[in-house]
Amino acid sequence: MDLNSITEVVRRPFDRPGSQWRGGDTWLAGGTWLFSVPQPDCRRLVDLTTLGWDALTITDAGLEIGATCTIRELYAFAPQCDWPTAPLLATSCEAFLSSFKVWNAATVGGNICLSLPAGPMITLTVALEATYTLWAADGTERTVDAADFVTGDHRNVLEPGEILRRIDIPAATLRTRHAHRRFTLTRLGRSTVFLVGTRATGADDLRLTVTAGTTRPLRLAFEAMPDAAELRRRIDAVPDDVWFDDPNGSPDHRHHLTTHFAEQIRVELAAGDRP
């Protein structure tokens, strides 16, 4: 789609592009959503792809993902590490409502900042207990937990001129066991629910991440593996207004699917450590 309100495109922004921010600006990374709908309030695009941020970096602390890392780069990533949850990276890429051709442009950071309930990069990073590094327009930076970033449908904690710079996934969660369940109305459709459970190897805990069926991601933490009744109680305690309602599923339908799939995940992870 042509964005006929644009008067300027900044092709080579400063290394700290927030210092150039002004009203009417929009950050441009992949642009796969940006160019798909009218943007009447946008006057200037600031292109982040020219900044040369590293896409994926393995460190002793875990995995760093640059915000401009493309979905194609993440999908192709094959870490030579003992990370049982590594397959979840590809699984989350496959949950996109898009063709593989879009993966060449769409970015991890863009999907997170769009903050839609079905954003699979949100599911991935919340489930793996990532943190986000945010750069403010005044040159300062802050770190937020992935679970706290999205606050509602298409809403997040970003301030004007603030930018998502990096996603950090800790090595500890990359070494956990995981199980996931996802439901769509059609094989390649938007997620109605997307759940991921993790359990530390040799431990008896459970972390259940609920997304797509809720307006914001939920992380339900259990220090010991719950029984079916306790798990259901935690899900039933989710406020009614948090369940998402759109043509892909009613709140009641999403609540039901979440309860059903959460129990499957609990049983799978409760079965004990398996090769």
Side-chain angles (χ1 to χ4, degrees), residues 26-214:
T26 297
W27 302 122
L28 172 62
T32 54
W33 175 83
L34 184 67
F35 288 100
S36 69
V37 295
Q39 307 289 344
D41 297 327
C42 184
R43 298 292 178 268
R44 189 171 71 152
L45 299 178
V46 183
D47 188 357
L48 303 177
T49 61
T50 62
L51 293 173
W53 294 341
D54 291 337
L56 296 147
T57 305
I58 296 175
T59 70
D60 290 341
L63 177 64
E64 296 179 359
I65 305 175
T68 53
C69 173
T70 66
I71 304 307
R72 178 189 59 79
E73 289 172 319
L74 183 63
Y75 188 74
F77 182 58
Q80 302 300 308
C81 303
D82 181 22
W83 289 348
T85 56
L88 187 60
L89 304 180
T91 296
S92 299
C93 292
E94 292 167 351
F96 266 82
L97 179 61
S98 65
S99 73
F100 68 91
K101 292 179 287 186
V102 173
W103 294 2
N104 291 305
T107 63
V108 175
N111 185 252
I112 292 170
C113 292
L114 187 55
S115 300
L116 297 178
M121 297 297 99
I122 299 168
T123 309
L124 171 69
T125 54
V126 172
L128 296 185
E129 301 180 35
T131 56
Y132 302 157
T133 297
L134 309 181
W135 282 358
D138 63 4
T140 60
E141 66 178 52
R142 60 177 173 138
T143 301
V144 300
D145 190 302
D148 298 328
F149 181 80
V150 176
T151 58
D153 179 17
H154 207 48
R155 301 198 307 272
N156 57 49
V157 301
L158 285 173
E159 299 290 341
E162 199 168 31
I163 186 171
L164 172 59
R165 170 61 184 86
R166 190 179 72 245
I167 301 100
D168 291 283
I169 301 177
T173 53
L174 287 163
R175 297 191 183 102
T176 58
R177 294 178 54 220
H178 80 281
H180 78 277
R181 296 293 188 276
R182 177 172 172 257
F183 178 87
T184 62
L185 293 179
T186 60
R187 190 172 71 87
L188 299 177
R190 187 183 299 275
S191 299
T192 299
V193 295
F194 191 179
L195 282 70
V196 178
T198 60
R199 179 187 175 194
T201 302
D204 193 37
D205 64 336
L206 175 66
R207 300 289 187 272
L208 179 68
T209 295
V210 179
T211 62
T214 50

Side-chain angles (χ1 to χ4, degrees), residues 17 50 58 68 105-106 212 223 248 250 256 265:
T50 62
I58 296 175
T68 53
E223 294 308 312
N248 294 286
S250 68
H256 168 74
I265 288 173

